[in-house]
Amino acid sequence: MTVLLFCSILLLSGCSEPVSESPEISLSPQMQAARNKALVLCAGCHGPEGIGTADFNPNLACQKQVYLAKQLRDYREGRRSNHIPMVNIAKMLTEEEVDSISLWYSQLNCQKNQ
């Protein structure tokens, strides 16, 4: 009985440990800010984990950082205007936010061995 109780306590103590969503991503203050901004502005369509919430919403997780940043800049600067919500969102972002959000998504849920 005592051994069973001890084992149960050990197993349950593991449940109280905080679980990092993406341990391979360094959460510097800049990356934490990028994550928070992405959750507010992007997650509605692209999901909290960077996976589109509908078939017509692209996945952003593990996409190339340069590509993501270019798309955001193209929306913001009017070179890409086919989706008004994205144009409006991109116009709210600073250059630093474009770079950091793009970096965040490029590392999110990405297997480095691919």
Side-chain angles (χ1 to χ4, degrees):
M1 179 71 166
T2 306
V3 172
L4 182 59
L5 179 61
F6 179 72
C7 290
S8 297
I9 291 171
L10 283 178
L11 287 173
L12 290 175
S13 68
C15 296
S16 64
E17 293 291 322
V19 177
S20 173
E21 293 176 12
S22 301
E24 70 279 356
I25 298 174
S26 172
L27 290 180
S28 66
Q30 179 183 9
M31 291 303 287
Q32 185 65 44
R35 177 186 178 273
N36 292 342
K37 182 75 81 161
L39 286 173
V40 170
L41 295 178
C42 312
C45 296
H46 300 287
E49 295 296 318
I51 305 301
T53 58
D55 289 342
F56 49 83
N57 294 337
N59 297 336
L60 302 181
C62 202
Q63 185 59 264
K64 293 178 181 175
Q65 191 269 338
V66 172
Y67 173 81
L68 292 171
K70 180 185 183 318
Q71 299 312 306
L72 285 171
R73 287 185 179 98
D74 285 353
Y75 277 120
R76 186 178 61 200
E77 296 165 12
R79 289 188 295 268
R80 187 170 180 184
S81 59
N82 62 326
H83 194 272
I84 299 304
M86 278 302 306
V87 170
N88 293 331
I89 289 169
K91 286 182 178 182
M92 291 190 285
L93 300 174
T94 66
E95 278 297 307
E96 182 180 276
E97 289 171 330
V98 166
D99 290 336
S100 60
I101 289 171
S102 298
L103 179 60
W104 167 258
Y105 277 118
S106 74
Q107 296 177 1
L108 188 61
N109 295 324
C110 190
Q111 298 294 330
K112 298 298 180 187
N113 300 342
Q114 291 183 12

